């Protein structure tokens, strides 16, 4: 390329570290699906050719759709394959086959004609009152994009198409995109947007692949096939590095592999401080496949099973049996350890399209119908999960907990539904653990401030700092523009955590933390000092947190906690941590 100078000075980008480790590989660019369309006048004698081009694109789109339908049929069954029929019907609708051709006949290019026709249809769909029909506009838009791709000769890219080791570069990735990387050869990923505790980042950690997010314009800076280094520890991305830099990173990668092998030796040792105080280090998972990683890294249980993945990429609510089989499988594998299943926390940045009537897009989903609010409003969503969790509790040591609780009444209401679920199971003669422990996530400031009242009505508390920080500091956890304000060491956060721990203990309940804060060794020392009973982190982070706990006395950790709680700001807090960490 002719832009050597620019490349050599600006091939290093700083983003937000989202998942640790170093990855080196070739770029797989997930292009944004925005098409830039221009109107081109087509002379009369070219119109026939233009309509032919459009018809060819329709034929190609149809055959791609049939192939997709076949794949869905093979992998998911007949019921799901029928979903593809809806798309095929749109493709055959006269508004596509007739109206677009009519528009081309007016003397415009096929892309523009298609765009104009769809724009009109989509606008009229937006006026429809009925939510279900209004939402069909997305299907029409999707079909339109498929045709456009073929008209423009653009290849559709999907993560499942990756055939050799690659680094994925995208504007944004949804949690369901990230989940589909599981089967793939993705060595790491980087995105333009996102924050450290966005769910996309969390899924990357559970997959143990390095990731950097919030790079703003990385998609515009790289090309397919470029070599990329991702440093997920520092949040650095290097595009087409010099050979020397590449060598350095390869060496660093080897060192890190060796260090993690060393840490794995702690697998069977307890998380016990040098003065004999023991806490539990558990792991967070997003799906049952991760149980292997949990055990491999030596976690003593699952402190947070995010159940949302069961709701992704489907159009109906999972059944009680699906829940039961899924959780039962995990519970059995984890014995003798326990598994805390978090009831579904849809909303916020975890979107699903599970066909619940009356759900409309929200202006501010993080403050909207999310987590327990959604479940209480839609018992048809909540009850099958409660019953599935209860039934699985007969097969292992299962506990359940509610997300996004903002007041004690929500706990009482959820508990009522839980009692109802138990009654129904008794009547059906199905077994479950009558003494199942019920916990509440403390992730909303109002819940933290009333933790004493909440603790009286449950068996344990689990502090979800990912949300507690965003709601307390008014900092969107997925917005890279305010990422520097997202600070677990903000005094307000430390005070809230400390008071929640005290409230739980006063009520005679145990308290854990399952937010990302627990996975940082520096913070883990403070948390030990504050008296948390359990820290639950990504499976790969278990060894380093165990090591931290095993290297400090609880007395020192307590002194550190007292000091940081009296420090006026971040600088003073960090100084205190440094002072306590130097032997
Ligand atoms: C949290 O908010 O800290 C938490 C663990 O829940 P999630 O990250 O799934 O919102
Ligand atoms: Mg949360």
């Amino acid at each position: 390329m002719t832009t050597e100078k620019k490349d050599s000075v600006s091939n290093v980008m700083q983003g937000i570290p989202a998942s640790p480790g170093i990855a080196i590989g070739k770029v797989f660019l997930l292009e944004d699906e925005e098409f830039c369309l221009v109107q081109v006048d087509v002379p009369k004698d070219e119109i026939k050719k233009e309509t032919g081009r459009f018809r060819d694109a329709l034929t190609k789109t149809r055959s791609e759709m049939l192939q997709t339908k076949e794949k869905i049929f093979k992998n998911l069954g007949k019921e799901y394959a029928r979903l593809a029929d809806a798309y095929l019907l749109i493709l055959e609708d006269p508004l596509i086959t007739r109206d677009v051709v009519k528009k081309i006949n007016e003397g415009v290019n096929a892309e523009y004609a298609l765009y104009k026709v769809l724009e009109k249809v989509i606008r009229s769909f937006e006026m429809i009152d009925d939510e279900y029909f209004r939402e069909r506009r997305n299907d029409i838009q999707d079909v339109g994009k498929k045709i456009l791709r073929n008209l423009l000769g653009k290849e559709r890219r999907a993560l499942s198409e990756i055939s050799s080791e690659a680094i994925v570069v995208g504007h944004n990735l949804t949690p369901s995109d990230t989940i589909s990387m599981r089967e793939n050869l993705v060595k790491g990923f980087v995105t333009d947007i996102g924050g450290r505790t966005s769910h996309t980042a969390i899924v990357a950690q559970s997959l143990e692949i390095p990731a950097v997010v919030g790079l703003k314009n990385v998609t515009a800076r790289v090309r397919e096939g470029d070599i990329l280094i991702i440093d997920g520890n520092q949040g650095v991305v290097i595009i087409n590095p010099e050979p020397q830099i590449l060598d350095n990173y390869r060496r660093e990668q080897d060192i890190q592999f060796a260090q993690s092998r060393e840490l794995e030796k702690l697998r069977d040792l307890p998380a016990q401080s040098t003065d004999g105080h023991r806490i539990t280090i558990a792991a967070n998972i997003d799906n049952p496949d991760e149980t292997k990683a949990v055990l491999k890294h030596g976690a003593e249980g699952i402190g947070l099973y995010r159940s949302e993945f069961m709701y992704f990429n489907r159009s109906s609510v999972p059944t009680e049996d699906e829940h039961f089989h899924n959780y039962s499988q995990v519970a059995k594998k984890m014995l003798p350890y326990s598994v805390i299943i978090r009831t579904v926390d849809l909303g916020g940045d975890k979107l699903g399209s599970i066909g619940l009537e009356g759900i409309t897009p929200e202006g501010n989903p993080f403050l909207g119908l999310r987590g327990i609010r959604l479940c209480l409003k839609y018992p048809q969503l909540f009850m099958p999960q409660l019953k599935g969790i209860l039934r699985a509790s007969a097969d292992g040591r299962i506990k359940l907990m509610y997300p996004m609780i903002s007041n004690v009444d929500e706990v009482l209401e959820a508990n009522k539904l839980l009692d109802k679920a138990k009654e129904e199971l008794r009547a059906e003669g199905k077994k479950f653990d009558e003494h199942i422990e019920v916990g509440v996530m403390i992730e909303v400031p109002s819940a933290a401030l009333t933790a004493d009242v909440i603790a009286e009505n449950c068996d344990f508390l689990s502090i979800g700092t990912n949300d507690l920080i965003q709601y307390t500091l008014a900092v969107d956890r997925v917005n890279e523009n305010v990422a520097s304000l997202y600070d677990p060491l903000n005094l307000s956060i430390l005070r809230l955590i400390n008071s929640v721990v005290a409230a739980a203990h006063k009520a005679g309940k145990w308290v854990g933390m399952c937010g990302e804060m627990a996975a940082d060794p520096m913070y883990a020392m403070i948390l030990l000092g504050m008296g948390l009973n359990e820290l639950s982190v990504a499976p790969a982070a278990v060894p380093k947190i165990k090591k931290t706990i095993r290297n400090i006395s609880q007395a020192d950790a307590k002194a550190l906690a007292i000091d940081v709680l009296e420090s006026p700001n971040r600088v003073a807090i960090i100084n205190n941590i440094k002072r306590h960490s130097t032997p």
Side-chain angles (χ1 to χ4, degrees), residues 219-421:
T219 45
R221 299 277 309 275
V222 300
R223 292 193 186 83
E224 183 78 10
D226 278 354
I227 300 286
L228 222 61
I229 296 175
I230 305 182
D231 181 344
N233 307 313
Q234 307 298 326
V236 168
V237 169
I238 308 176
I239 308 162
N240 292 328
E242 314 276 307
Q244 180 64 42
I245 307 269
L246 199 57
D247 281 352
N248 291 349
Y249 270 96
R250 288 223 163 95
R251 261 199 301 279
E252 182 58 30
Q253 208 176 19
D254 289 343
I255 293 170
Q256 288 188 10
F257 283 145
Q259 278 171 345
S260 48
R261 272 199 302 273
E262 199 53 34
L263 277 175
E264 294 303 332
K265 291 186 183 152
L266 300 175
R267 198 177 76 170
D268 300 321
L269 298 175
Q272 186 167 311
S273 64
T274 53
D275 51 357
H277 180 77
R278 211 172 150 163
I279 65 167
T280 302
I281 307 293
N284 299 343
I285 65 166
D286 303 290
N287 77 60
D289 295 347
E290 283 178 80
T291 319
K292 271 191 250 110
V294 172
L295 295 169
K296 181 181 110 191
H297 292 298
E300 303 158 293
I302 290 173
L304 167 65
Y305 181 173
R306 290 183 170 94
S307 57
E308 293 75 42
F309 94 98
M310 291 192 67
Y311 299 75
F312 291 149
N313 297 329
R314 57 186 295 156
S315 53
S316 60
V317 168
T319 62
E320 177 190 318
D321 274 349
E322 284 176 70
H323 284 295
F324 163 61
H325 290 302
N326 186 304
Y327 309 144
S328 155
Q329 210 198 116
V330 175
K332 282 183 193 156
K333 281 193 196 140
M334 283 305 297
L335 276 171
Y337 299 118
S338 60
V339 178
I340 303 179
I341 296 169
R342 194 247 321 258
T343 58
V344 67
D345 180 15
L346 289 176
D349 68 337
K350 287 166 294 184
L351 305 168
S353 54
I354 35 162
L356 289 174
E357 231 172 79
I359 296 214
T360 46
E362 295 180 309
N364 200 342
F366 274 122
L367 300 183
L369 204 53
R370 181 188 162 185
I372 199 71
R373 301 169 181 181
L374 187 78
C375 287
L376 293 177
K377 179 161 181 200
Y378 294 97
Q380 70 270 39
L381 172 74
F382 202 27
M383 287 300 279
Q385 185 174 33
L386 290 178
K387 289 177 80 176
I389 296 174
L390 283 170
R391 280 171 60 197
S393 71
D395 294 337
R397 293 187 53 211
I398 284 191
K399 303 171 187 180
L400 74 79
M401 72 179 172
Y402 306 130
M404 284 297 296
I405 291 286
S406 55
N407 62 61
V408 71
D409 291 329
E410 288 170 338
V411 181
L412 299 178
E413 210 182 318
N415 279 342
K416 248 192 218 150
L417 289 171
L418 183 65
D419 285 341
K420 184 165 175 254

Side-chain angles (χ1 to χ4, degrees), residues 199 342 345 350 370 404 441 443 464 466-467 477:
H199 286 94
R342 194 247 321 258
D345 180 15
K350 287 166 294 184
R370 181 188 162 185
M404 284 297 296
M441 285 191 76
E443 46 187 351
N466 303 342
D467 280 311
R477 64 193 266 191

Side-chain angles (χ1 to χ4, degrees), residues 167-170 173 188-192 211-213 215 218 228 230 237:
I167 298 220
V168 172
V169 179
L173 293 172
F189 73 80
V190 298
T191 57
D192 289 336
V212 176
V213 298
L215 286 151
V218 65
L228 222 61
I230 305 182
V237 169

Side-chain angles (χ1 to χ4, degrees), residues 402 408 411-412 415 438 440 452-459 509:
Y402 306 130
V408 71
V411 181
L412 299 178
N415 279 342
V438 177
V440 169
D452 52 340
V453 187
I454 291 174
E456 292 295 344
N457 291 284
C458 65
D459 300 304
K509 310 292 162 74

